[in-house]
Amino acid sequence: DTEVTQTPKHLVMGMTNKKSLKCEQHMGHRAMYWYKQKAKKPPELMFVYSYEKLSINESVPSRFSPECPNSSLLNLHLHALQPEDSALYLCASSPSTTRGNQPQHFGDGTRLSIL
Amino acid sequence: GENVEQHPSTLSVQEGDSAVIKCTYSDSASNYFPWYKQELGKRPQLIIDIRSNVGEKKDQRIAVTLNKTAKHFSLHITETQPEDSAVYFCAAKKTSYDKVIFGPGTSLSVIP
């Protein structure tokens, strides 16, 4: 059973649509992450939030907009995506980014298809 | 920046045999090395990790070894079972502020 919950599990959208991916954890973790994963490739970091503040943006295009409303929730707002953005989007969390290296726990992901 | 290489890219073993996956890293400042298992269509799952102050760590059939001098670390799975079939990613990380750098992955198939 995953302790990081992502919704929806699958999403199909057109290039002009606006949608949001949601991630929730109740482990008290203060660091949350968005990753993009293409088939047969490792996860690729997009954003890191530490204590609800954006700490890393890996030069992600502005059509991806992250939001961290509180310590348990992480959203990824999508707008005007391109077909190459089709991928598995993974959310992860870890206890913190300030108290030594700690393992990240992944959610099941949202499989996104752009038509 | 840090670079992690991983070999082999694919590995097939008979059930009951051992499997070994090897990784090398480039930045000697890396000090945390997690291993993730990802079954088809599922999330990456942490299976074991090791820190640079330890040379070996075991958890039942899984063990990881670390050679800091040579900058390589390995995953050993003994008595493999079909449910071990998955893609395995090694990774390296420096400080808690740095991102995890993943290797390209090894697709392990355990043949019954």
Side-chain angles (χ1 to χ4, degrees):
Chain A
D1 290 337
T2 181
E3 296 170 322
V4 178
T5 304
Q6 290 187 245
T7 56
K9 293 191 185 303
H10 303 273
L11 179 61
V12 179
M13 58 187 286
M15 289 189 284
T16 58
N17 291 157
K18 287 185 181 181
K19 295 285 184 183
S20 297
L21 309 185
K22 296 186 184 299
C23 175
E24 189 169 3
Q25 58 88 13
H26 293 290
M27 295 179 282
H29 289 176
R30 303 310 299 272
M32 296 185 76
Y33 311 79
W34 280 115
Y35 286 87
K36 173 183 178 180
Q37 188 178 27
K38 290 281 203 179
K40 300 186 179 181
K41 296 290 186 182
E44 180 184 336
L45 183 67
M46 300 174 72
F47 304 103
V48 180
Y49 273 83
S50 177
Y51 291 87
E52 295 97 72
K53 287 185 171 36
L54 184 65
S55 61
I56 295 179
N57 176 342
E58 287 287 304
S59 302
V60 179
S62 59
R63 57 186 185 268
F64 296 91
S65 176
E67 178 195 21
C68 189
N70 60 54
S71 59
S72 301
L73 292 173
L74 186 66
N75 298 321
L76 186 63
H77 303 298
L78 315 173
H79 174 54
L81 295 194
Q82 304 298 308
E84 61 264 29
D85 296 324
S86 297
L88 180 68
Y89 287 82
L90 293 161
C91 175
S93 71
S94 67
S96 83
T97 59
T98 59
R99 287 182 279 132
N101 280 314
Q102 293 160 345
Q104 295 180 17
H105 301 270
F106 286 86
D108 288 331
T110 293
R111 190 159 298 281
L112 177 65
S113 297
I114 307 300
L115 301 178
Chain B
E2 174 65 283
N3 181 51
V4 177
E5 296 184 354
Q6 184 171 348
H7 298 281
S9 57
T10 59
L11 178 61
S12 290
V13 299
Q14 290 292 134
E15 182 177 359
D17 287 351
S18 294
V20 180
I21 302 170
K22 299 183 178 182
C23 290
T24 60
Y25 59 100
S26 60
D27 193 334
S28 57
S30 290
N31 58 29
Y32 175 64
F33 307 92
W35 285 87
Y36 286 88
K37 172 185 179 183
Q38 189 173 25
E39 296 176 60
L40 191 62
K42 296 193 175 180
R43 63 188 173 101
Q45 187 170 7
L46 180 75
I47 55 172
I48 195 165
D49 56 9
I50 191 167
R51 299 176 192 275
S52 59
N53 58 347
V54 174
E56 184 176 1
K57 184 176 179 181
K58 285 185 180 180
D59 184 2
Q60 300 182 338
R61 298 186 295 109
I62 294 173
V64 58
T65 58
L66 171 64
N67 182 326
K68 285 191 298 181
T69 304
K71 289 188 284 188
H72 66 70
F73 55 115
S74 300
L75 179 72
H76 305 253
I77 306 174
T78 58
E79 300 172 19
T80 54
Q81 300 167 3
E83 51 265 39
D84 294 328
S85 296
V87 177
Y88 290 80
F89 294 103
C90 64
K93 196 168 184 287
K94 292 191 288 188
T95 70
S96 58
Y97 297 99
D98 291 301
K99 65 180 186 180
V100 175
I101 305 298
F102 287 92
T106 295
S107 179
L108 173 65
S109 298
V110 179
I111 304 163

Tab-separated table of all heavy atoms in Angstrom, chain B residues 32-86:
chain	number	residue	atom	x	y	z
B	32	TYR	N	25.119	9.063	-0.150
B	32	TYR	CA	23.893	8.298	0.112
B	32	TYR	C	23.495	7.601	-1.183
B	32	TYR	O	23.455	8.221	-2.255
B	32	TYR	CB	22.776	9.254	0.573
B	32	TYR	CG	21.435	8.586	0.755
B	32	TYR	CD1	21.255	7.600	1.730
B	32	TYR	CD2	20.349	8.925	-0.044
B	32	TYR	CE1	20.036	6.976	1.893
B	32	TYR	CE2	19.124	8.314	0.117
B	32	TYR	CZ	18.970	7.350	1.085
B	32	TYR	OH	17.756	6.727	1.253
B	33	PHE	N	23.218	6.293	-1.087
B	33	PHE	CA	23.027	5.471	-2.282
B	33	PHE	C	21.796	4.580	-2.114
B	33	PHE	O	21.862	3.485	-1.567
B	33	PHE	CB	24.276	4.630	-2.549
B	33	PHE	CG	25.534	5.459	-2.601
B	33	PHE	CD1	26.297	5.651	-1.456
B	33	PHE	CD2	25.939	6.065	-3.786
B	33	PHE	CE1	27.443	6.447	-1.487
B	33	PHE	CE2	27.078	6.850	-3.836
B	33	PHE	CZ	27.837	7.042	-2.684
B	34	PRO	N	20.642	5.026	-2.594
B	34	PRO	CA	19.439	4.192	-2.512
B	34	PRO	C	19.286	3.326	-3.757
B	34	PRO	O	19.793	3.660	-4.835
B	34	PRO	CB	18.310	5.229	-2.438
B	34	PRO	CG	18.851	6.414	-3.187
B	34	PRO	CD	20.346	6.398	-3.016
B	35	TRP	N	18.567	2.221	-3.600
B	35	TRP	CA	18.198	1.352	-4.716
B	35	TRP	C	16.674	1.270	-4.772
B	35	TRP	O	16.026	1.051	-3.744
B	35	TRP	CB	18.757	-0.056	-4.523
B	35	TRP	CG	20.215	-0.160	-4.785
B	35	TRP	CD1	21.229	0.055	-3.900
B	35	TRP	CD2	20.841	-0.538	-6.012
B	35	TRP	NE1	22.449	-0.156	-4.502
B	35	TRP	CE2	22.240	-0.529	-5.806
B	35	TRP	CE3	20.367	-0.896	-7.284
B	35	TRP	CZ2	23.157	-0.853	-6.811
B	35	TRP	CZ3	21.275	-1.224	-8.280
B	35	TRP	CH2	22.657	-1.197	-8.044
B	36	TYR	N	16.132	1.434	-5.988
B	36	TYR	CA	14.694	1.365	-6.184
B	36	TYR	C	14.353	0.217	-7.130
B	36	TYR	O	15.050	-0.028	-8.109
B	36	TYR	CB	14.155	2.674	-6.768
B	36	TYR	CG	14.098	3.804	-5.766
B	36	TYR	CD1	15.197	4.637	-5.562
B	36	TYR	CD2	12.954	4.032	-5.012
B	36	TYR	CE1	15.152	5.665	-4.633
B	36	TYR	CE2	12.899	5.061	-4.079
B	36	TYR	CZ	14.008	5.874	-3.905
B	36	TYR	OH	13.953	6.891	-2.990
B	37	LYS	N	13.244	-0.445	-6.848
B	37	LYS	CA	12.701	-1.499	-7.705
B	37	LYS	C	11.394	-0.984	-8.287
B	37	LYS	O	10.549	-0.460	-7.556
B	37	LYS	CB	12.434	-2.753	-6.860
B	37	LYS	CG	11.682	-3.862	-7.582
B	37	LYS	CD	11.357	-5.002	-6.603
B	37	LYS	CE	10.591	-6.127	-7.281
B	37	LYS	NZ	10.219	-7.195	-6.310
B	38	GLN	N	11.240	-1.109	-9.589
B	38	GLN	CA	10.012	-0.660	-10.230
B	38	GLN	C	9.445	-1.783	-11.082
B	38	GLN	O	9.986	-2.117	-12.136
B	38	GLN	CB	10.244	0.590	-11.071
B	38	GLN	CG	8.943	1.207	-11.582
B	38	GLN	CD	9.157	2.539	-12.268
B	38	GLN	OE1	10.236	2.833	-12.782
B	38	GLN	NE2	8.131	3.388	-12.283
B	39	GLU	N	8.353	-2.349	-10.622
B	39	GLU	CA	7.650	-3.360	-11.408
B	39	GLU	C	6.839	-2.669	-12.494
B	39	GLU	O	6.507	-1.484	-12.372
B	39	GLU	CB	6.761	-4.200	-10.500
B	39	GLU	CG	7.562	-4.997	-9.476
B	39	GLU	CD	6.667	-5.754	-8.507
B	39	GLU	OE1	5.872	-6.602	-8.963
B	39	GLU	OE2	6.744	-5.481	-7.304
B	40	LEU	N	6.528	-3.414	-13.525
B	40	LEU	CA	5.846	-2.838	-14.691
B	40	LEU	C	4.558	-2.154	-14.278
B	40	LEU	O	3.706	-2.764	-13.634
B	40	LEU	CB	5.576	-3.941	-15.713
B	40	LEU	CG	5.100	-3.484	-17.086
B	40	LEU	CD1	6.162	-2.624	-17.759
B	40	LEU	CD2	4.750	-4.681	-17.961
B	41	GLY	N	4.426	-0.879	-14.627
B	41	GLY	CA	3.199	-0.141	-14.333
B	41	GLY	C	3.047	0.297	-12.893
B	41	GLY	O	1.984	0.786	-12.504
B	42	LYS	N	4.114	0.124	-12.112
B	42	LYS	CA	4.008	0.485	-10.693
B	42	LYS	C	5.023	1.560	-10.318
B	42	LYS	O	5.845	1.974	-11.126
B	42	LYS	CB	4.181	-0.748	-9.815
B	42	LYS	CG	3.088	-1.783	-10.023
B	42	LYS	CD	3.088	-2.835	-8.937
B	42	LYS	CE	1.916	-3.779	-9.089
B	42	LYS	NZ	1.890	-4.826	-8.027
B	43	ARG	N	4.957	2.000	-9.098
B	43	ARG	CA	5.828	3.067	-8.614
B	43	ARG	C	7.223	2.534	-8.278
B	43	ARG	O	7.376	1.365	-7.947
B	43	ARG	CB	5.218	3.691	-7.358
B	43	ARG	CG	5.108	2.713	-6.207
B	43	ARG	CD	4.334	3.303	-5.035
B	43	ARG	NE	4.087	2.304	-4.010
B	43	ARG	CZ	4.794	2.215	-2.887
B	43	ARG	NH1	5.781	3.051	-2.644
B	43	ARG	NH2	4.501	1.273	-2.008
B	44	PRO	N	8.235	3.387	-8.339
B	44	PRO	CA	9.549	2.976	-7.807
B	44	PRO	C	9.425	2.773	-6.302
B	44	PRO	O	8.842	3.598	-5.588
B	44	PRO	CB	10.446	4.173	-8.130
B	44	PRO	CG	9.734	4.943	-9.173
B	44	PRO	CD	8.277	4.737	-8.893
B	45	GLN	N	9.992	1.671	-5.832
B	45	GLN	CA	9.895	1.343	-4.411
B	45	GLN	C	11.294	1.178	-3.850
B	45	GLN	O	12.088	0.395	-4.378
B	45	GLN	CB	9.089	0.054	-4.247
B	45	GLN	CG	8.764	-0.303	-2.815
B	45	GLN	CD	7.766	-1.439	-2.730
B	45	GLN	OE1	7.418	-2.046	-3.734
B	45	GLN	NE2	7.304	-1.737	-1.529
B	46	LEU	N	11.596	1.912	-2.797
B	46	LEU	CA	12.901	1.791	-2.152
B	46	LEU	C	13.057	0.392	-1.573
B	46	LEU	O	12.209	-0.068	-0.810
B	46	LEU	CB	13.026	2.827	-1.044
B	46	LEU	CG	14.350	2.821	-0.278
B	46	LEU	CD1	15.449	3.435	-1.119
B	46	LEU	CD2	14.206	3.568	1.040
B	47	ILE	N	14.137	-0.310	-1.939
B	47	ILE	CA	14.333	-1.655	-1.407
B	47	ILE	C	15.496	-1.719	-0.424
B	47	ILE	O	15.502	-2.555	0.484
B	47	ILE	CB	14.540	-2.693	-2.528
B	47	ILE	CG1	15.702	-2.298	-3.451
B	47	ILE	CG2	13.251	-2.907	-3.307
B	47	ILE	CD1	16.071	-3.389	-4.466
B	48	ILE	N	16.464	-0.870	-0.583
B	48	ILE	CA	17.583	-0.822	0.344
B	48	ILE	C	18.376	0.441	0.056
B	48	ILE	O	18.337	0.969	-1.066
B	48	ILE	CB	18.463	-2.086	0.215
B	48	ILE	CG1	19.414	-2.244	1.414
B	48	ILE	CG2	19.258	-2.076	-1.092
B	48	ILE	CD1	20.049	-3.625	1.530
B	49	ASP	N	19.051	0.956	1.071
B	49	ASP	CA	19.927	2.107	0.857
B	49	ASP	C	21.173	1.955	1.720
B	49	ASP	O	21.181	1.166	2.682
B	49	ASP	CB	19.222	3.434	1.135
B	49	ASP	CG	18.624	3.527	2.543
B	49	ASP	OD1	18.883	2.634	3.379
B	49	ASP	OD2	17.882	4.486	2.804
B	50	ILE	N	22.225	2.676	1.358
B	50	ILE	CA	23.468	2.597	2.117
B	50	ILE	C	24.102	3.976	2.170
B	50	ILE	O	23.999	4.760	1.215
B	50	ILE	CB	24.422	1.544	1.491
B	50	ILE	CG1	25.612	1.260	2.424
B	50	ILE	CG2	24.911	1.978	0.108
B	50	ILE	CD1	26.418	0.031	2.027
B	51	ARG	N	24.716	4.266	3.286
B	51	ARG	CA	25.393	5.545	3.450
B	51	ARG	C	26.902	5.324	3.403
B	51	ARG	O	27.379	4.209	3.633
B	51	ARG	CB	24.959	6.207	4.758
B	51	ARG	CG	23.473	6.478	4.770
B	51	ARG	CD	22.937	7.052	6.061
B	51	ARG	NE	21.486	6.999	6.068
B	51	ARG	CZ	20.702	7.918	5.523
B	51	ARG	NH1	21.255	8.974	4.943
B	51	ARG	NH2	19.387	7.802	5.556
B	52	SER	N	27.632	6.388	3.167
B	52	SER	CA	29.060	6.235	2.857
B	52	SER	C	29.902	5.809	4.049
B	52	SER	O	31.065	5.433	3.870
B	52	SER	CB	29.619	7.533	2.279
B	52	SER	OG	29.456	8.584	3.193
B	53	ASN	N	29.340	5.810	5.244
B	53	ASN	CA	30.117	5.374	6.403
B	53	ASN	C	29.981	3.870	6.656
B	53	ASN	O	30.478	3.347	7.650
B	53	ASN	CB	29.702	6.149	7.650
B	53	ASN	CG	28.222	5.990	7.961
B	53	ASN	OD1	27.460	5.498	7.128
B	53	ASN	ND2	27.822	6.402	9.139
B	54	VAL	N	29.296	3.188	5.718
B	54	VAL	CA	29.064	1.756	5.847
B	54	VAL	C	29.530	1.075	4.561
B	54	VAL	O	29.335	1.607	3.471
B	54	VAL	CB	27.565	1.469	6.071
B	54	VAL	CG1	27.278	-0.014	6.065
B	54	VAL	CG2	27.096	2.098	7.380
B	55	GLY	N	30.144	-0.101	4.673
B	55	GLY	CA	30.625	-0.783	3.483
B	55	GLY	C	29.657	-1.811	2.918
B	55	GLY	O	29.716	-2.135	1.746
B	56	GLU	N	28.762	-2.315	3.781
B	56	GLU	CA	27.827	-3.337	3.327
B	56	GLU	C	26.574	-3.289	4.193
B	56	GLU	O	26.624	-2.979	5.380
B	56	GLU	CB	28.472	-4.727	3.435
B	56	GLU	CG	27.600	-5.851	2.891
B	56	GLU	CD	28.294	-7.210	2.928
B	56	GLU	OE1	29.445	-7.296	3.392
B	56	GLU	OE2	27.692	-8.191	2.448
B	57	LYS	N	25.463	-3.621	3.563
B	57	LYS	CA	24.191	-3.673	4.290
B	57	LYS	C	23.360	-4.788	3.719
B	57	LYS	O	23.322	-4.980	2.497
B	57	LYS	CB	23.466	-2.331	4.156
B	57	LYS	CG	22.181	-2.204	4.946
B	57	LYS	CD	21.624	-0.786	4.797
B	57	LYS	CE	20.317	-0.600	5.536
B	57	LYS	NZ	19.787	0.768	5.355
B	58	LYS	N	22.697	-5.561	4.611
B	58	LYS	CA	21.881	-6.685	4.149
B	58	LYS	C	20.468	-6.562	4.663
B	58	LYS	O	20.220	-6.070	5.764
B	58	LYS	CB	22.482	-8.000	4.671
B	58	LYS	CG	23.725	-8.464	3.964
B	58	LYS	CD	24.156	-9.832	4.491
B	58	LYS	CE	25.415	-10.309	3.782
B	58	LYS	NZ	25.864	-11.628	4.268
B	59	ASP	N	19.540	-7.071	3.873
B	59	ASP	CA	18.147	-7.179	4.295
B	59	ASP	C	17.582	-8.418	3.645
B	59	ASP	O	17.193	-8.402	2.476
B	59	ASP	CB	17.361	-5.936	3.878
B	59	ASP	CG	15.919	-5.957	4.370
B	59	ASP	OD1	15.546	-6.928	5.072
B	59	ASP	OD2	15.166	-5.023	4.060
B	60	GLN	N	17.580	-9.502	4.369
B	60	GLN	CA	17.108	-10.803	3.902
B	60	GLN	C	17.877	-11.210	2.644
B	60	GLN	O	19.075	-11.446	2.745
B	60	GLN	CB	15.591	-10.752	3.671
B	60	GLN	CG	14.824	-10.410	4.951
B	60	GLN	CD	13.321	-10.394	4.776
B	60	GLN	OE1	12.789	-10.239	3.664
B	60	GLN	NE2	12.603	-10.581	5.863
B	61	ARG	N	17.226	-11.324	1.484
B	61	ARG	CA	17.918	-11.799	0.275
B	61	ARG	C	18.655	-10.693	-0.477
B	61	ARG	O	19.276	-10.938	-1.496
B	61	ARG	CB	16.913	-12.464	-0.663
B	61	ARG	CG	16.232	-13.698	-0.097
B	61	ARG	CD	15.359	-14.377	-1.155
B	61	ARG	NE	14.240	-13.517	-1.573
B	61	ARG	CZ	14.154	-12.931	-2.760
B	61	ARG	NH1	15.109	-13.085	-3.655
B	61	ARG	NH2	13.102	-12.194	-3.056
B	62	ILE	N	18.563	-9.489	0.014
B	62	ILE	CA	19.151	-8.347	-0.689
B	62	ILE	C	20.334	-7.795	0.100
B	62	ILE	O	20.256	-7.676	1.332
B	62	ILE	CB	18.091	-7.247	-0.887
B	62	ILE	CG1	17.001	-7.734	-1.832
B	62	ILE	CG2	18.715	-5.965	-1.426
B	62	ILE	CD1	15.830	-6.787	-1.954
B	63	ALA	N	21.401	-7.463	-0.604
B	63	ALA	CA	22.553	-6.839	0.031
B	63	ALA	C	23.110	-5.781	-0.902
B	63	ALA	O	22.999	-5.892	-2.130
B	63	ALA	CB	23.622	-7.872	0.350
B	64	VAL	N	23.688	-4.761	-0.320
B	64	VAL	CA	24.357	-3.727	-1.105
B	64	VAL	C	25.762	-3.544	-0.537
B	64	VAL	O	25.961	-3.589	0.680
B	64	VAL	CB	23.566	-2.399	-1.095
B	64	VAL	CG1	23.358	-1.887	0.298
B	64	VAL	CG2	24.225	-1.357	-1.976
B	65	THR	N	26.737	-3.404	-1.433
B	65	THR	CA	28.113	-3.141	-1.029
B	65	THR	C	28.553	-1.813	-1.623
B	65	THR	O	28.106	-1.420	-2.700
B	65	THR	CB	29.057	-4.257	-1.511
B	65	THR	OG1	28.971	-4.362	-2.942
B	65	THR	CG2	28.687	-5.595	-0.883
B	66	LEU	N	29.427	-1.134	-0.927
B	66	LEU	CA	29.905	0.174	-1.358
B	66	LEU	C	31.417	0.220	-1.249
B	66	LEU	O	31.986	-0.112	-0.208
B	66	LEU	CB	29.291	1.276	-0.486
B	66	LEU	CG	29.834	2.695	-0.666
B	66	LEU	CD1	29.532	3.219	-2.070
B	66	LEU	CD2	29.262	3.621	0.393
B	67	ASN	N	32.069	0.633	-2.334
B	67	ASN	CA	33.510	0.844	-2.336
B	67	ASN	C	33.743	2.321	-2.641
B	67	ASN	O	33.681	2.748	-3.796
B	67	ASN	CB	34.182	-0.050	-3.394
B	67	ASN	CG	35.694	0.084	-3.405
B	67	ASN	OD1	36.240	1.153	-3.150
B	67	ASN	ND2	36.378	-0.994	-3.701
B	68	LYS	N	33.986	3.110	-1.603
B	68	LYS	CA	34.134	4.560	-1.779
B	68	LYS	C	35.373	4.920	-2.568
B	68	LYS	O	35.380	5.876	-3.351
B	68	LYS	CB	34.175	5.259	-0.421
B	68	LYS	CG	32.842	5.354	0.269
B	68	LYS	CD	32.925	6.290	1.467
B	68	LYS	CE	33.904	5.774	2.511
B	68	LYS	NZ	33.958	6.673	3.695
B	69	THR	N	36.432	4.168	-2.395
B	69	THR	CA	37.684	4.464	-3.089
B	69	THR	C	37.498	4.334	-4.593
B	69	THR	O	37.925	5.186	-5.367
B	69	THR	CB	38.803	3.525	-2.611
B	69	THR	OG1	38.930	3.651	-1.192
B	69	THR	CG2	40.121	3.869	-3.287
B	70	ALA	N	36.845	3.243	-4.996
B	70	ALA	CA	36.625	2.999	-6.422
B	70	ALA	C	35.378	3.705	-6.931
B	70	ALA	O	35.124	3.704	-8.137
B	70	ALA	CB	36.524	1.500	-6.674
B	71	LYS	N	34.577	4.255	-6.042
B	71	LYS	CA	33.322	4.919	-6.394
B	71	LYS	C	32.397	3.974	-7.132
B	71	LYS	O	31.878	4.294	-8.216
B	71	LYS	CB	33.591	6.213	-7.175
B	71	LYS	CG	34.196	7.308	-6.297
B	71	LYS	CD	34.288	8.655	-7.014
B	71	LYS	CE	35.439	8.640	-7.979
B	71	LYS	NZ	35.695	9.965	-8.570
B	72	HIS	N	32.206	2.798	-6.553
B	72	HIS	CA	31.174	1.924	-7.102
B	72	HIS	C	30.428	1.190	-6.001
B	72	HIS	O	30.921	1.006	-4.882
B	72	HIS	CB	31.717	0.987	-8.194
B	72	HIS	CG	32.706	-0.032	-7.737
B	72	HIS	ND1	32.384	-1.123	-6.945
B	72	HIS	CD2	34.024	-0.157	-8.015
B	72	HIS	CE1	33.466	-1.854	-6.741
B	72	HIS	NE2	34.463	-1.293	-7.375
B	73	PHE	N	29.208	0.829	-6.316
B	73	PHE	CA	28.353	0.109	-5.367
B	73	PHE	C	27.517	-0.900	-6.146
B	73	PHE	O	27.273	-0.726	-7.342
B	73	PHE	CB	27.480	1.062	-4.545
B	73	PHE	CG	26.613	2.014	-5.322
B	73	PHE	CD1	25.227	1.909	-5.255
B	73	PHE	CD2	27.156	3.049	-6.080
B	73	PHE	CE1	24.414	2.792	-5.933
B	73	PHE	CE2	26.345	3.936	-6.771
B	73	PHE	CZ	24.966	3.805	-6.697
B	74	SER	N	27.155	-1.960	-5.468
B	74	SER	CA	26.499	-3.087	-6.140
B	74	SER	C	25.317	-3.591	-5.325
B	74	SER	O	25.329	-3.543	-4.098
B	74	SER	CB	27.492	-4.241	-6.331
B	74	SER	OG	28.591	-3.841	-7.114
B	75	LEU	N	24.342	-4.109	-6.055
B	75	LEU	CA	23.175	-4.760	-5.453
B	75	LEU	C	23.285	-6.249	-5.709
B	75	LEU	O	23.524	-6.670	-6.842
B	75	LEU	CB	21.886	-4.212	-6.076
B	75	LEU	CG	20.580	-4.819	-5.557
B	75	LEU	CD1	20.296	-4.323	-4.144
B	75	LEU	CD2	19.420	-4.471	-6.483
B	76	HIS	N	23.122	-7.035	-4.658
B	76	HIS	CA	23.172	-8.482	-4.767
B	76	HIS	C	21.825	-9.045	-4.313
B	76	HIS	O	21.378	-8.741	-3.203
B	76	HIS	CB	24.278	-9.056	-3.868
B	76	HIS	CG	25.627	-8.466	-4.126
B	76	HIS	ND1	26.637	-9.163	-4.758
B	76	HIS	CD2	26.134	-7.242	-3.856
B	76	HIS	CE1	27.710	-8.394	-4.850
B	76	HIS	NE2	27.435	-7.222	-4.326
B	77	ILE	N	21.222	-9.850	-5.174
B	77	ILE	CA	19.977	-10.537	-4.820
B	77	ILE	C	20.268	-12.028	-4.870
B	77	ILE	O	20.676	-12.565	-5.909
B	77	ILE	CB	18.835	-10.186	-5.787
B	77	ILE	CG1	18.648	-8.666	-5.895
B	77	ILE	CG2	17.533	-10.844	-5.326
B	77	ILE	CD1	17.624	-8.248	-6.953
B	78	THR	N	20.068	-12.705	-3.748
B	78	THR	CA	20.283	-14.156	-3.711
B	78	THR	C	18.949	-14.899	-3.803
B	78	THR	O	17.883	-14.310	-3.560
B	78	THR	CB	20.990	-14.565	-2.409
B	78	THR	OG1	20.180	-14.140	-1.302
B	78	THR	CG2	22.362	-13.904	-2.293
B	79	GLU	N	19.040	-16.150	-4.207
B	79	GLU	CA	17.849	-17.024	-4.307
B	79	GLU	C	16.701	-16.298	-5.026
B	79	GLU	O	15.601	-16.171	-4.492
B	79	GLU	CB	17.409	-17.468	-2.914
B	79	GLU	CG	18.483	-18.240	-2.168
B	79	GLU	CD	18.092	-18.513	-0.712
B	79	GLU	OE1	16.896	-18.430	-0.377
B	79	GLU	OE2	19.008	-18.802	0.072
B	80	THR	N	16.985	-15.838	-6.221
B	80	THR	CA	16.009	-15.023	-6.938
B	80	THR	C	14.697	-15.763	-7.168
B	80	THR	O	14.664	-17.003	-7.330
B	80	THR	CB	16.567	-14.558	-8.291
B	80	THR	OG1	17.026	-15.689	-9.030
B	80	THR	CG2	17.687	-13.556	-8.101
B	81	GLN	N	13.624	-14.979	-7.191
B	81	GLN	CA	12.272	-15.512	-7.394
B	81	GLN	C	11.623	-14.730	-8.538
B	81	GLN	O	12.026	-13.597	-8.825
B	81	GLN	CB	11.455	-15.339	-6.103
B	81	GLN	CG	12.076	-16.060	-4.909
B	81	GLN	CD	11.474	-15.641	-3.589
B	81	GLN	OE1	10.546	-14.843	-3.518
B	81	GLN	NE2	12.026	-16.185	-2.500
B	82	PRO	N	10.624	-15.315	-9.203
B	82	PRO	CA	9.985	-14.605	-10.320
B	82	PRO	C	9.497	-13.200	-9.947
B	82	PRO	O	9.557	-12.281	-10.775
B	82	PRO	CB	8.828	-15.526	-10.701
B	82	PRO	CG	9.318	-16.892	-10.324
B	82	PRO	CD	10.119	-16.689	-9.064
B	83	GLU	N	9.073	-13.027	-8.706
B	83	GLU	CA	8.574	-11.705	-8.288
B	83	GLU	C	9.683	-10.663	-8.135
B	83	GLU	O	9.410	-9.474	-7.907
B	83	GLU	CB	7.763	-11.812	-6.993
B	83	GLU	CG	8.440	-12.549	-5.870
B	83	GLU	CD	8.032	-14.019	-5.825
B	83	GLU	OE1	7.877	-14.662	-6.894
B	83	GLU	OE2	7.894	-14.541	-4.695
B	84	ASP	N	10.936	-11.106	-8.274
B	84	ASP	CA	12.044	-10.149	-8.297
B	84	ASP	C	12.182	-9.485	-9.676
B	84	ASP	O	12.942	-8.524	-9.831
B	84	ASP	CB	13.366	-10.832	-7.944
B	84	ASP	CG	13.411	-11.342	-6.515
B	84	ASP	OD1	12.781	-10.710	-5.636
B	84	ASP	OD2	14.065	-12.378	-6.275
B	85	SER	N	11.474	-10.004	-10.656
B	85	SER	CA	11.531	-9.434	-12.009
B	85	SER	C	11.003	-7.996	-11.976
B	85	SER	O	9.881	-7.742	-11.527
B	85	SER	CB	10.701	-10.268	-12.987
B	85	SER	OG	11.248	-11.562	-13.113
B	86	ALA	N	11.834	-7.058	-12.435
B	86	ALA	CA	11.489	-5.634	-12.379
B	86	ALA	C	12.655	-4.846	-12.968
B	86	ALA	O	13.681	-5.428	-13.348
B	86	ALA	CB	11.256	-5.188	-10.942
